Amino acid sequence: MSKRIYSRIAGTGSHLPEKVLTNDDLAKIVDTTDEWIQSRTGIRERHVAADGETTGDLGYQAALRALEAAGIEASELDMVIVGTTTPDLIFPSTACLIQARLGATGAAAFDVNAACSGFLFALSTADKFIRSGDARHVLVIGAETLTRIVDWNDRTTCVLFGDGAGAVVLKADEETGILSTHLHADGSKKELLWHPAGVSTGFDQPGKLTMKGNDVFKYAVKALDSVVDEALQANGLDKSDLDWLIPHQANLRIIEATARRLEMPMEQVVVTVHKHGNTSAGSVPLALDEAIRSGRVERGQLLLLEAFGGGFTWGSALLRY
């Protein structure tokens, strides 16, 4: 009888642009204060891509670090999946651009757009390819340059977002890895968090990224409660079995609400939102990489990853690191 195949995280990496934009810097641009931003979001600063620096640039650097940590050459990759809502080009995909730079010739490459849930959607897709036996090594990246599409005159949204990328290398393994992933969406709520411009509707559409924050907060907390329970129930586990919660870094209040629901002390929750802001699809892998490289997350521990984003989209992944 053949053994079950799991997707194990073999290595992680991340990359942030050099430029840092603090709350005090923002106070010179829009009518806001450091105290106002921190009290409502927990954010102190965010990174901003330089002129000419693209989502692909950030993702490529994160990928190099993940491959190095995994001890895997790019030529061994079977697939490259990038979660992003801010691709370099309409086509080819950002994944194709990164694949070429890495020299992963012939590996399948494509993007997944699920806004802030993009990394989890990409991770789940990669997991299915590995479990089916169609791939052995998959590079999964979450990368964004959200600052390119925010309205710098809207103080309710421009303070939230930053640029960055994180990556993981998944490897087929007979030992436990990703236990399950759970993905959902509700397109009927699109206008609560969206950017109206597009290819088919026309690039001349007015407006920038817009969000109805209070509504998003309520939906996010409820959806994340549900998808966290779903992950635990699917594996016959209790919330007390979790070692770490690694949430999407959108807002400290949402993170704290989820932790309370899980009865987890904040010491077991990875928080990077104060340093990065909301990097959308980049936020979960950025937080994961920091937690692993700092030595907090150790092999054998049980991790719960979760995210909620525009679409609406939301999802979770339960894994043994």
Side-chain angles (χ1 to χ4, degrees):
M1 184 176 175
S2 61
K3 289 189 177 181
R4 188 171 181 177
I5 298 174
Y6 291 95
S7 308
R8 182 172 64 84
I9 293 178
T12 64
S14 60
H15 183 74
L16 292 161
E18 284 187 22
K19 182 182 178 181
V20 175
L21 189 69
T22 67
N23 291 345
D24 288 333
D25 293 331
L26 274 171
K28 299 171 186 175
I29 302 171
V30 293
D31 182 17
T32 191
T33 65
D34 174 62
E35 190 278 331
W36 189 91
I37 298 170
Q38 283 207 53
S39 65
R40 285 161 177 78
T41 69
I43 299 169
R44 293 204 293 260
E45 60 187 34
R46 70 286 296 146
H47 292 249
V48 177
D51 291 344
E53 189 174 30
T54 69
T55 295
D57 292 331
L58 304 182
Y60 171 70
Q61 293 298 331
L64 290 178
R65 292 181 172 89
L67 287 165
E68 180 183 26
I72 290 172
E73 297 294 328
S75 58
E76 298 178 72
L77 292 174
D78 301 302
M79 186 172 290
V80 178
I81 310 176
V82 176
T84 187
T85 193
T86 51
D88 289 18
L89 305 168
I90 296 170
F91 68 85
S93 68
T94 302
C96 279
L97 300 176
I98 293 173
Q99 179 243 39
R101 290 174 70 175
L102 291 172
T105 308
F110 56 93
D111 290 354
V112 173
N113 179 353
C116 299
S117 307
F119 175 77
L120 282 176
F121 274 57
L123 187 75
S124 180
T125 304
D127 177 52
K128 302 301 186 289
F129 273 96
I130 288 177
R131 281 176 181 259
S132 72
D134 285 345
R136 288 195 58 79
H137 300 111
V138 182
L139 172 64
V140 184
I141 302 169
E144 303 280 13
T145 47
L146 260 293
T147 62
R148 298 274 159 78
I149 61 170
V150 301
D151 182 353
W152 291 103
N153 296 311
D154 180 2
R155 66 174 184 168
T156 63
T157 57
C158 74
V159 303
L160 301 175
F161 298 100
D163 303 329
V168 303
V169 174
L170 291 182
K171 181 179 183 180
D173 202 304
E174 293 179 352
E175 299 299 319
T176 188
I178 295 176
L179 300 176
S180 64
T181 60
H182 308 271
L183 308 178
H184 300 280
D186 182 357
S188 71
K189 307 292 192 302
K190 74 175 189 294
E191 291 178 18
L192 296 179
L193 174 55
W194 72 323
H195 191 297
V199 181
S200 193
T201 56
F203 284 112
D204 57 349
Q205 289 286 323
K208 291 270 189 176
L209 184 154
T210 60
M211 180 176 73
K212 295 181 180 177
N214 289 336
D215 290 325
V216 173
F217 182 92
K218 286 184 282 189
Y219 277 106
V221 170
K222 186 176 180 180
L224 291 173
D225 274 357
S226 173
V227 83
V228 162
D229 284 343
E230 185 180 5
L232 292 171
Q233 290 171 11
N235 294 279
L237 294 169
D238 187 79
K239 51 194 173 186
S240 61
D241 294 317
L242 295 173
D243 292 301
W244 291 98
L245 173 66
I246 303 180
H248 170 46
Q249 308 289 316
N251 183 308
L252 184 58
R253 292 197 288 185
I254 296 177
I255 295 171
E256 289 173 339
T258 306
R260 283 195 299 272
R261 174 73 176 76
L262 287 167
E263 298 174 5
M264 290 185 78
M266 288 303 290
E267 290 77 22
Q268 286 178 261
V269 182
V270 178
V271 178
T272 57
V273 68
H274 56 296
K275 297 187 292 185
H276 303 161
N278 182 350
T279 54
S280 189
S283 85
V284 170
L286 271 165
L288 175 64
D289 183 53
E290 178 165 311
I292 289 171
R293 288 179 183 263
S294 67
R296 286 185 287 167
V297 169
E298 300 175 353
R299 284 291 178 192
Q301 291 184 327
L302 190 65
L303 318 182
L304 179 63
L305 283 53
E306 47 90 341
F308 180 91
F312 286 144
T313 62
W314 62 98
S316 64
L318 189 68
L319 62 94
R320 185 76 63 181
Y321 175 59

